[in-house]
Amino acid sequence: MNQQQNQNTTVEPQEVDVKYMTQRASGFYNNLLYSLYRLLKFFKKRWYVFLILIGIGVGLGMYIDGTKSSRLRHELIVVPNFGSIDYLNQKIKDYDRLALNKQLIAANAGNEVYDIKIEPIYDAYNYITTDPVYFEAFKILSDRAIDMEKYSKSKLASKNYKYHMLTVYTDGLGNTDLTIEKIFKDLNSDPYFNERKNIEKTNTLAKRTEISKSIEQVNGLFERLGSENKVNDITMNAYPELADLLRAKEALMKQLNAVDVQLIEQENIVYLATKMMNIPVRPFLPYFLTLPFLFVMFYIVIAYLNSKIKSFKA
């Protein structure tokens, strides 16, 4: 008999818990239905108020949608040179938009900057192939089964990507080219990086001269190989690796092309490669849809709070 009593005591709390949870669920469901019924009744009683609010919201939203077309986005692909990526990121993060907008107002630019952002353009292939050091680093990480996609988008790797997207947001339909010009003038005014620019550009020119000399030497070998008057002992028999010589010349030509591009980009600390200007900024949903919804919700909340206050007073 004691054993039967023990079994009853262990089963009873479980039965009570299930019954309590069922009651709670049923009560919540009934309250939800009752709240929906009251809301529908409220809509039916005050339909004219909701109709007025929706009409005002749609009209005001259409007006705002029409006037907000002056907000524009400008996407600028830039190349940070001379190890200036950290400088550029910090400069954009702390950019003094107030001072910039004062300059724009003084210059009658007809627009103001309200936001500036920068992010790397992920290109893992070019990142690996531009420098043997990066290639070896990726090879080691791959051997260690590290997620390469995750690493390529990490802060450490993204700092070394060549191209970055600088996005400038302006408000106004004025001279946006003047705005971008002033931003880049400020970004390229740092004394330290301008000194580095002079030094590195001189070194790049010297590198170009050396590559050009190497190409001339290779061309000289080809001329001597093709000459009918075999000068000295430079003959096909003496130099059988003609294919290697051709590959060497092709590699030198690629290096020369890369150096020429580098010289173009080294004109500025932050080089503007290309730009897409005056892209209209649109909200996620148009205002003629969001404003009526907000007006209706605000009215419902006010009415609910008012009814609660009356119930407290009663």
Side-chain angles (χ1 to χ4, degrees):
M1 187 170 180
N2 290 336
Q3 185 177 0
Q4 185 176 1
Q5 288 178 351
N6 290 336
Q7 289 177 350
N8 290 336
T9 56
T10 57
V11 172
E12 264 184 22
Q14 295 177 359
E15 291 178 349
V16 170
D17 289 342
V18 172
K19 185 177 180 181
Y20 175 74
M21 293 300 296
T22 304
Q23 290 175 347
R24 286 290 301 271
S26 177
F28 174 77
Y29 179 71
N30 290 333
N31 289 333
L32 180 62
L33 289 177
Y34 181 66
S35 298
L36 289 174
Y37 168 75
R38 289 186 62 188
L39 183 61
L40 291 173
K41 190 176 179 181
F42 181 67
F43 270 113
K44 185 178 179 181
K45 184 178 179 182
R46 302 291 180 87
W47 64 269
Y48 57 91
V49 178
F50 290 105
L51 190 62
I52 293 171
L53 289 174
I54 291 172
I56 293 173
V58 170
L60 185 60
M62 291 178 68
Y63 171 76
I64 294 174
D65 286 332
T67 57
K68 282 294 178 182
S69 60
S70 62
R71 289 205 159 188
L72 303 171
R73 182 177 78 252
H74 315 282
E75 296 180 348
L76 317 167
I77 298 178
V78 300
V79 180
N81 292 306
F82 323 118
S84 62
I85 182 59
D86 288 330
Y87 155 78
L88 179 59
N89 285 331
Q90 194 64 39
K91 183 78 173 177
I92 297 301
K93 182 180 178 182
D94 302 331
Y95 203 90
D96 190 352
R97 295 197 306 275
L98 181 61
L100 172 63
N101 288 331
K102 286 180 179 179
Q103 294 178 27
L104 294 173
I105 292 170
N108 294 320
N111 60 75
E112 295 184 1
V113 174
Y114 67 89
D115 198 9
I116 304 179
K117 296 178 181 178
I118 188 168
E119 58 183 358
I121 297 176
Y122 297 105
D123 190 352
Y125 176 77
N126 282 334
Y127 172 69
I128 296 171
T129 56
T130 50
D131 195 319
V133 175
Y134 300 153
F135 179 79
E136 289 299 324
F138 263 75
K139 187 177 178 182
I140 293 170
L141 292 172
S142 179
D143 292 341
R144 295 180 180 178
I146 294 175
D147 188 348
M148 301 304 297
E149 183 177 358
K150 185 177 179 181
Y151 174 77
S152 65
K153 294 184 177 180
S154 67
K155 187 177 180 181
L156 179 62
S158 62
K159 284 172 57 176
N160 296 302
Y161 285 131
K162 181 177 181 180
Y163 297 106
H164 290 70
M165 178 68 76
L166 177 63
T167 308
V168 180
Y169 297 87
T170 60
D171 192 355
L173 299 174
N175 189 354
T176 51
D177 287 324
L178 178 62
T179 302
I180 301 305
E181 181 183 334
K182 285 190 174 295
I183 290 172
F184 274 86
K185 184 178 179 182
D186 184 25
L187 294 177
N188 290 311
S189 63
D190 186 80
Y192 167 73
F193 285 107
N194 272 301
E195 188 64 29
R196 280 192 61 171
K197 179 183 78 171
N198 295 332
I199 295 170
E200 294 199 26
K201 194 170 182 181
T202 300
N203 292 335
T204 305
L205 286 168
K207 182 178 179 181
R208 189 190 190 285
T209 302
E210 291 299 320
I211 294 172
S212 297
K213 287 181 180 178
S214 298
I215 293 173
E216 289 175 4
Q217 290 173 358
V218 172
N219 288 337
L221 286 173
F222 278 120
E223 289 176 4
R224 294 165 72 181
L225 285 169
S227 175
E228 291 183 357
N229 300 321
K230 308 250 181 334
V231 181
N232 299 328
D233 59 347
I234 305 298
T235 63
M236 291 293 291
N237 293 329
Y239 201 95
E241 292 90 1
L242 186 60
D244 292 341
L245 191 60
L246 288 168
R247 282 193 291 269
K249 181 179 178 180
E250 185 178 357
L252 287 169
M253 293 298 294
K254 287 182 178 179
Q255 289 181 36
L256 183 63
N257 181 70
V259 168
D260 285 339
V261 172
Q262 190 176 9
L263 283 170
I264 294 172
E265 295 171 348
Q266 285 182 341
E267 288 296 324
N268 292 308
I269 299 168
V270 182
Y271 178 76
L272 176 58
T274 187
K275 58 184 179 180
M276 292 160 281
M277 301 284 289
N278 303 324
I279 305 168
V281 176
R282 305 292 184 189
F284 180 71
L285 287 174
Y287 283 97
F288 77 86
L289 291 179
T290 56
L291 284 183
F293 175 77
L294 291 175
F295 286 169
V296 168
M297 290 302 297
F298 182 73
Y299 178 69
I300 292 172
V301 170
I302 293 297
Y304 175 78
L305 292 176
N306 189 41
S307 66
K308 282 293 183 181
I309 291 170
K310 286 182 179 179
S311 67
F312 291 151
K313 288 181 178 179

